[in-house]
Structures are given as structure tokens and as C-alpha cells.
Amino acid sequence: MLLCGARLSDGRTVDVRLGGGRIEAVGTAGSLAGSSTGDGTRACGARVDLDGYLLLPAPAEPHSHADTALSADGSGPVSCGPEDVQRRATEAALLQLGHGATVSRAHVRVGDVQELGALAAVLQARRSLRGLTELTTVAMPRLLTGVAGADGLAMLRDAMKMGASVVGGCPDLDPDPTGYAETVLELASEHGCPVDLHTDAADPARLSRLAAMAGGLRPGVTLGPCGGLGRLPAPAAARVADQLAAAGVTVVCLPQGGCGSAERRGTAPLRLLRSAGVRVAAGSGALRDVANPVGRGDPLEAAYLLASRHGLRPEDAYDAVSASARAVLGLPEVRVEAGFPAELLAVRGDRLAGALSLSYSRIVVHRGRVVARTSAVREYCDSAAAPELGLPRQGRGEGP
């Protein structure tokens, strides 16, 4: 596949040739048409005209809730039936893909009423979506300590055997939050998998203990949404930020709203964390469920909010939903350069700031092929300003 005439964030206009799921070559516009591949054969395949588009590394979704997504409009309790969960998880993943996220980490509750049914349904959705988008799962038990937590621990072990790739949960909901975190970290070490915990992070002593326990764990520990950090006195928050940075803990914030496992809203103090050296990524959180009935699941909206509300530069805001989000998921870096994975997003516009403001039209590339397109056309009814400003006019009559 050849992507023609795309603008890069540094202002260059280029052609990009893709093959084997990777970027094979990047050259000035028009230079790769009809060129030869590295083995001397003639390059051929689909051509995608990206004139007027900005080409970026694709975003990733580090924090979603596939089992409850798209359930806000239903009446009565949310259905945990396998068919309903699989349908919602599939639709949510495709919605996020249309926005540009070619990989998503889904937090799924295990135990209680749903036992392992919701996880099985999300794993089935993952299999059905293979080739379109990647869906990874975090197993989230409610309780892990004491007599009541024995069932949760057994369920969590079964979830890892089923195919959950990350150990997670919400220590804040357990009577012994520190014991909960210790159990999760031990199990993750046993399985050699990452940890992703929900916490409001309002207790600096508890967070310090967690950072101390997490320091030696690889492949890593992620915390989110950590809105309580923003409510701490500045000196206490700064001390915790330094501890998290020293332990290599990543924080995923949710600028679009909270999620069902976070009892209080608020966004983590992003600039404080970043200045301390903490990797900060941004996720979407709840997607039209009871925690956020208007959630969009759009990483570019998350980046827009980081820039407009929290003062990050557009480049840093987009990094939080792309490079940093991919790092949370343990994925290789993406650059628009030869040799890197062909995980790309083309957005109508010529600068990143403008794309974050008005990112309606999008073309999504996953594993070297176009997997989603969104096109938006805006027209104006006839007026005196139309010919002067060159506004696109409506095609029929004078409009309403």
C-alpha cells in the first residue's frame, strides 16, 4: 500500500510505502510511485490519497471498560449475559477503532454475579476482531483479602488461565487495600504479566507503600485514574510523584470523565507528575455507561482536553494517547519512518493543534492496511459571504 501526499507533523509532505505490517519507505511526495522494493521487485498495491491529511502514529486506548460499555441507554440492571457483553465489547472496540485507536486495554470485572462470564465474552470479542483491532484484557476482582477474598483470588487465578493478560482490580474497595495490592503484585510476578490498578490515590501513605512494592516488578505497574492526587496538598503530592517516578509506575488519567471503579471524579495533576519524571498516559474510561453516559471513547478528545484544560502542548497531549499509551500496553514505538510498525492515523488538517480541535475525517491503518474511514462534509446554505470566503455550498436548493 502507498500513502500519497501526507503531511507530517514536522511540515514535510511525503509518500509512505507499507508492506508486511510495517513502514517500508518514506520519501518526498511523488518519489515512491512505481518504485522498486528492497528485493528488486516492482512495488504495487493500493494507493491512498492523503492530500490534506496529517499523518500520525495511531493512538492506543489504555483504559476502557468493555463489559459495561454502551449500556447507559438500557432500562434496569446492566445485562451480564455473554451475548450482550460480547456485542457491547465488539461495538465499543470498533467505535474506538473508528476514532483511531488500533489497540485497546479493557478492564473486565470477574467474580460476584458475572463470575468469569463477562471475561469469556470479551475474549470472544477479541478473537472475532483479530485483524481489525487488538483487544487486551485486565481481570478485575472486587475483593482479594480475608475470608471473603478467597473466592476472588481463586477467580483471578482462573481468569489468568483463561487468557486475561493483565492483573488488575481496585484496592480502594477492599477492606485491606495494601493486602489487596500485595496479592495482585505477587500474582503478577508469578505469571510474569503487567499490573493495572484502579485507585483514586487520595491516601499518600498507601500510595507510597504501593510504589515501594511495585518498584521491582516487570513488565510494569500502571495506576489510574489517580484523581485524588490532585486534591492532596502540593508537598504531599510532589513526594508521591517522586516515589512513583523512582518505582517506574505509570499513571493513566481519564480527562473525559471517570469510570465505575473510581468513586470520585477529578484528573491527576499531570504537570506535576510529568515534571517528576512519571510517564503519564491518557485513556477514555467509561464509554456510555452509568459512570459516564456521554463517554465518546475518543483518544483525540482526551488529547484535546489535556491541551485545552490542563495546559499541555499539543505534542505532549498527543503523546499521552499515542506513544505513552502504547508504552503502557507494552507495545513497540511507532514513528512515521522506515522499519516501524504500520499503525497510523491520518486526520484531516495540516497541524496537530488544528487536528485536535476539528478531527472529524480520519483514516485508520492497522498492520499496514486501512481498517476504518470516517468522512465528514460541511456545507453552508447560500449567502453573501459564500463566494467571498469560498465556503462549500449545499448541493440542492438554498437549504433550510
Side-chain angles (χ1 to χ4, degrees), residues 114-255:
Q114 67 271 19
E115 296 188 342
L116 295 172
L119 177 62
V122 175
L123 290 173
Q124 181 59 41
R126 175 191 179 187
R127 288 188 286 270
S128 69
L129 290 165
R130 189 168 289 132
L132 280 177
T133 182
E134 303 295 327
L135 186 62
T136 64
T137 52
V138 184
M140 292 183 55
R142 180 175 175 82
L143 300 176
L144 283 180
T145 67
V147 176
D151 289 342
L153 179 56
M155 199 73 66
L156 183 56
R157 290 186 179 279
D158 289 342
M160 303 310 295
K161 293 176 184 177
M162 283 180 60
S165 54
V166 185
V167 184
C170 186
D172 298 0
L173 301 180
D174 194 282
D176 179 6
T178 300
Y180 187 110
E182 288 176 344
T183 301
V184 166
L185 291 167
E186 288 173 3
L187 189 60
S189 179
E190 184 181 315
H191 286 267
C193 63
V195 168
D196 196 330
L197 292 172
H198 285 62
T199 179
D200 187 52
D203 185 333
R206 185 190 303 167
L207 207 56
S208 296
R209 289 193 293 271
L210 178 57
M213 291 186 293
L217 185 69
R218 295 293 178 270
V221 176
T222 300
L223 301 179
C226 297
L229 268 178
R231 299 189 293 272
L232 294 178
R239 283 194 297 273
V240 169
D242 289 339
Q243 293 164 345
L244 294 175
V249 173
T250 298
V251 171
V252 173
C253 64
L254 304 177

Side-chain angles (χ1 to χ4, degrees), residues 23 34 43 80 88 123 132 154 293 337:
I23 298 173
C80 296
R88 293 197 307 262
L123 290 173
L132 280 177
E337 297 177 14

Side-chain angles (χ1 to χ4, degrees), residues 69-145:
L70 307 174
S71 61
D73 295 336
S75 58
V78 176
S79 171
C80 296
E83 291 184 1
D84 290 333
V85 173
Q86 183 181 343
R87 174 183 53 78
R88 293 197 307 262
T90 302
E91 186 178 349
L94 290 175
L95 180 62
Q96 291 164 337
L97 176 64
H99 289 317
T102 59
V103 61
S104 176
R105 175 180 282 184
H107 295 255
V108 183
R109 295 171 298 175
V110 299
D112 297 332
V113 176
Q114 67 271 19
E115 296 188 342
L116 295 172
L119 177 62
V122 175
L123 290 173
Q124 181 59 41
R126 175 191 179 187
R127 288 188 286 270
S128 69
L129 290 165
R130 189 168 289 132
L132 280 177
T133 182
E134 303 295 327
L135 186 62
T136 64
T137 52
V138 184
M140 292 183 55
R142 180 175 175 82
L143 300 176
L144 283 180
T145 67

Side-chain angles (χ1 to χ4, degrees), residues 311-328:
L312 269 63
R313 297 185 310 126
E315 294 78 10
D316 294 333
Y318 190 73
D319 175 271
V321 301
S322 56
S324 292
R326 287 183 63 85
V328 168

